[in-house]
Amino acid sequence: MNVERLQKVISQAGIASRREAETLITAGRVSVNGKVATELGVKIDPVKDRVRVDGKLIRGEKLVYLLLFKPKGVVSTLSDPEGRETVAGLTDGVPQRVYPVGRLDYNTEGALLLTNDGNLTHALLHPSRHVLKTYIARLKGIPGEDALDKLRVGIRLDDGITAPAEVYLLEADREKGDCRIEISIHEGRNRQIRRMCEAIGHPVKQLKRIRFAFLTLDGLKRGQYRLLTEAEVKRLKLLASEAAANE
C-alpha cells in the first residue's frame, strides 16, 4: 500500500499548496472516508481513500507538467467571469486539471508553465527562488543606456523597488520610433515589465515571454502546448530545491 500525508495528497491534486492544505485540514474542511480529518500527521492511501475538500471529492491524480505558448487575448486562469478565452480551453486535451504557474497578462503572449503539482508551483513562485523569466518587449521610443541602466539596477514602482533586471537592446528602429529589448526578471509582480518600462518613459507596445527558467518556445506555435520530458521535470525540481537550500 502506498500511503502519503493528507496535505501532500491535497497539494498533488492541485487544490492548494501543501501549507495551504494544512490550513484547510486544521480548519476542519477536509474529510477522509466521510470523517473530518483535523490532524496534520494522518497518512492515507491516495488510490483507495476518498478525500473531500469542502465536500468536493478529490482524486490522487497523475502529476503532469506542460508548457503552453499562450496567445495574446487569452486569460491565464481556468475561468473568466467576462467570458474571455482561458488557458483551460487550450489545454482541454489534458485529462488532469492543471493550473498556471504564475500568470501572463491578457495582452502578453509566450511561455506559460502549467501543472497539477502544487508543491512545485509554490516552490517556483516563491520570491526567494529567483527563477528567471525572459521577455522580448517592443517599446515606444528608443531608451538610452541611462534609462536601461535604471531597469538593470532596480526602479521604484508603486509597490516598491524592483530587483535588478538583465536588459539588452536588440534593435532600434528610428523610422518607426520604437525598439526591441530583451529583459529577464525573477520577480512576478502584476504587469511588472509593462510598469517598469512605463516608469522610464517607454511604454510596451508588444510583449512576449520567450523563456521560463530553461524552458523555451522552440517547436510550439501559438495556442499549442507540449508535455515536459522527465528530464525537464527533474531539472525544474532541482532548480527549486537548490534555491531553497540557499535561502
Side-chain angles (χ1 to χ4, degrees):
M1 181 174 65
N2 179 32
V3 295
E4 298 279 4
R5 288 185 180 273
L6 179 56
Q7 56 264 44
K8 182 178 180 180
V9 173
I10 295 171
S11 174
Q12 288 181 337
I15 304 299
S17 70
R18 192 175 299 191
R19 182 169 296 180
E20 291 167 343
E22 292 175 350
T23 301
L24 292 173
I25 294 168
T26 56
R29 296 168 60 185
V30 179
S31 68
V32 179
N33 299 327
K35 296 182 179 180
V36 175
T38 57
E39 295 184 10
L40 297 180
V42 64
K43 292 185 177 181
I44 68 164
D45 183 335
V47 176
K48 295 181 179 180
D49 291 321
R50 297 172 66 84
V51 179
R52 294 180 184 272
V53 176
D54 293 332
K56 183 178 180 180
L57 183 67
I58 70 168
R59 300 187 183 278
E61 294 182 317
K62 174 185 177 182
L63 295 180
V64 294
Y65 310 82
L66 59 94
L67 184 70
L68 170 71
F69 188 159
K70 185 192 94 66
K72 178 180 177 181
V74 174
V75 183
S76 296
T77 56
L78 301 189
S79 62
D80 181 65
E82 299 179 28
R84 295 173 295 183
E85 185 177 10
T86 70
V87 294
L90 297 176
T91 58
D92 55 8
V94 180
Q96 295 82 2
R97 187 174 175 85
V98 292
Y99 299 80
V101 179
R103 294 185 179 183
L104 291 177
D105 68 51
Y106 184 72
N107 290 315
T108 299
E109 64 177 1
L112 184 64
L113 178 66
L114 296 98
T115 182
N116 58 350
D117 187 337
N119 291 328
L120 182 62
T121 295
H122 178 73
L124 291 174
L125 292 180
H126 196 282
S128 66
R129 299 309 196 260
H130 289 200
V131 177
L132 277 182
K133 282 84 72 174
T134 302
Y135 300 76
I136 299 295
R138 184 172 291 279
L139 308 183
K140 182 178 180 180
I142 303 172
E145 281 300 308
D146 56 341
L148 296 179
D149 282 342
K150 292 179 180 179
L151 302 179
R152 294 174 178 130
V153 173
I155 193 164
R156 182 174 295 279
L157 302 178
D158 55 9
D159 54 356
I161 298 176
T162 63
E166 297 177 13
V167 184
Y168 304 95
L169 180 63
L170 301 178
E171 176 188 23
D173 191 326
R174 300 196 179 278
E175 290 187 5
K176 292 184 178 180
D178 64 15
C179 71
R180 289 192 311 126
I181 66 169
E182 179 180 306
I183 179 168
S184 298
I185 62 173
H186 64 75
E187 295 177 298
R189 306 187 199 185
N190 183 43
R191 300 182 70 253
Q192 183 172 341
I193 299 292
R194 295 181 185 276
R195 292 191 292 136
M196 290 171 67
C197 294
E198 287 170 3
I200 63 169
H202 295 276
V204 170
K205 298 171 67 175
Q206 293 178 326
L207 188 61
K208 178 180 182 180
R209 184 156 74 189
I210 61 170
R211 186 161 55 249
F212 181 94
F214 56 86
L215 299 170
T216 71
L217 294 168
D218 291 352
L220 290 177
K221 297 179 180 179
R222 288 177 180 84
Q224 290 185 334
Y225 68 86
R226 68 170 180 84
L227 296 175
L228 268 59
T229 66
E230 184 176 339
E232 288 172 330
V233 173
K234 287 182 179 179
R235 190 174 172 188
L236 276 179
K237 291 182 176 180
L238 181 62
L239 177 66
S241 63
E242 283 180 343
N246 292 328
E247 290 179 21

